[in-house]
Amino acid sequence: MHIGELIKKSRGGEVLLREELVYLLGHEPNSAENYMVMAEATRISKELSDGKAEVHAQFAINLAPCPCDCLFCSFAKINGVFTEATELTPEQAVAYALQFENDGANAVFMMSTAKYPFEGFIEMSQEVRNNLMPETTLIANVGDQSLKNAAKLKEAGFSGVYHAVRLREGIDTSLSVKKRKESISNFKEVGLEVGTCVEPVGPEHTNEELAEMIEFTASFNPSYSGAARRIPIHGTAIAKRGVINELRMAQIVAVTRLGMPRTVMGNCTHEPCTLGAIAGANLFWAEVGANPRDTEEKTEEGRGETVSDCSSIFQESNWDVWSGPSRYYNGSSS
Ligand code: SF4
């Protein structure tokens, strides 16, 4: 196997095989070979998205200790970071969404913790939808859902969802891989577009695990895939496993691009960084309110970046930013 051959194969429009992804992931992050892969991933992303990256923006409608206990999440009950449940009023939710719309986000994401009552989420989303411009792309980030609930999300005016099978799902979380996959298929069946990611990557994940997950995300032709590293939540057991650096994350972002078919226009990373953007990431997220990677109740006072911050990081990385509704959702990429 040789890096040049794999790049040539990818240029021919072929998706790389799992063992080829493992080979690419095995290079030193600061090797010339890896920089070649990062450059090629950027070339592909720019070609597919016409040199224009997107910034999506997420707010959480609630904050609550979550019994699903994903070890990497600050909401997990087991982590004891948040002990009280709070939720936005519909007016606050509308204000956050309008702020994102005004800031020029290409899509507005509404998130809730997994056990937030679904009917309440739908009611709140209708308030939000009714106050946004009809062309604004609204995306849901919620727990696993039945086909019936997926249809309700579609009826409420969502264009799509974010949903992922997380690395070591069922081991580092109490959720089942089967249910995560069923939910993805339910969302797709009702016409909701699904964005996903290889996440949350830590130093313990092997190249084989990463390649297998890249391959899985490619298998359902998502609106975007990508890679995001795990952010250690201070004081939690999983924080002791450490954190990968941004360059290693950038390498995984780039290899993910080479593992996707060209029908997938988007390639995300989180948290936003120039290294990700020069490794083929063409999607970042701004965040306000509760954030599963933050211990601040309002992430805008902590780790969260604004739409303008995300755009600046893209511009510093020689990317233009798309103006208008997301092309990754809304059918442009499938
Ligand atoms: S990631 Fe979602 S399901 Fe898991 S603990 Fe956090 S809020 Fe709950």
Side-chain angles (χ1 to χ4, degrees), residues 66 68-70 72-73 75-76 112-114 166 175 292:
C66 178
C68 298
D69 279 342
C70 306
F72 42 78
C73 174
F75 304 146
S112 75
T113 56
R166 282 81 51 87
L175 305 181

Side-chain angles (χ1 to χ4, degrees), residues 202-234:
E204 74 276 21
H205 297 122
T206 64
N207 293 335
E208 286 74 14
E209 280 177 285
L210 297 173
E212 185 182 353
M213 190 58 84
I214 292 170
E215 201 175 51
F216 167 68
T217 65
S219 71
F220 62 89
N221 197 33
S223 299
Y224 51 84
S225 186
R229 65 176 175 169
R230 182 176 66 232
I231 301 298
I233 306 292
H234 183 69

Side-chain angles (χ1 to χ4, degrees), residues 42-227:
T42 298
R43 194 197 64 73
I44 299 169
S45 288
K46 288 204 172 187
E47 183 179 284
L48 294 177
S49 58
D50 201 21
K52 292 186 168 48
E54 295 194 8
V55 176
H56 297 182
Q58 172 164 279
F59 69 95
I61 66 164
N62 78 313
L63 168 61
C66 178
C68 298
D69 279 342
C70 306
L71 297 180
F72 42 78
C73 174
S74 63
F75 304 146
K77 203 169 175 191
I78 198 171
N79 286 335
V81 176
F82 298 111
T83 48
E84 289 190 10
T86 56
E87 63 181 74
L88 300 185
T89 63
E91 294 73 26
Q92 287 170 320
V94 168
Y96 270 147
L98 286 175
Q99 177 195 324
F100 286 150
E101 189 181 68
N102 288 334
D103 291 347
N106 306 110
V108 174
F109 281 49
M110 273 182 68
M111 190 203 92
S112 75
T113 56
K115 298 293 178 194
Y116 187 81
F118 183 75
E119 293 307 327
F121 185 86
I122 292 289
E123 273 172 38
M124 189 88 83
S125 57
Q126 275 161 346
E127 279 292 320
V128 170
R129 181 73 273 178
N130 291 339
N131 282 278
L132 291 173
M133 292 186 290
E135 62 270 31
T136 297
T137 305
L138 189 61
I139 304 299
N141 184 356
V142 290
D144 287 315
Q145 301 300 335
S146 63
L147 190 61
K148 203 167 143 203
N149 281 358
K152 286 185 185 171
L153 288 169
K154 179 78 180 160
E155 281 159 27
F158 288 99
S159 303
V161 297
Y162 175 82
H163 215 71
V165 175
R166 282 81 51 87
L167 290 158
R168 301 199 184 170
E169 191 80 77
I171 299 168
D172 289 339
T173 76
S174 69
L175 305 181
S176 96
V177 171
K178 186 166 170 276
K179 271 213 153 154
R180 303 295 289 172
K181 289 184 175 174
E182 275 169 12
S183 298
I184 289 172
S185 134
N186 291 339
F187 294 135
K188 288 196 70 110
E189 193 170 331
V190 301
L192 289 164
E193 294 184 59
V194 181
T196 197
C197 186
V198 175
E199 56 117 338
V201 186
E204 74 276 21
H205 297 122
T206 64
N207 293 335
E208 286 74 14
E209 280 177 285
L210 297 173
E212 185 182 353
M213 190 58 84
I214 292 170
E215 201 175 51
F216 167 68
T217 65
S219 71
F220 62 89
N221 197 33
S223 299
Y224 51 84
S225 186

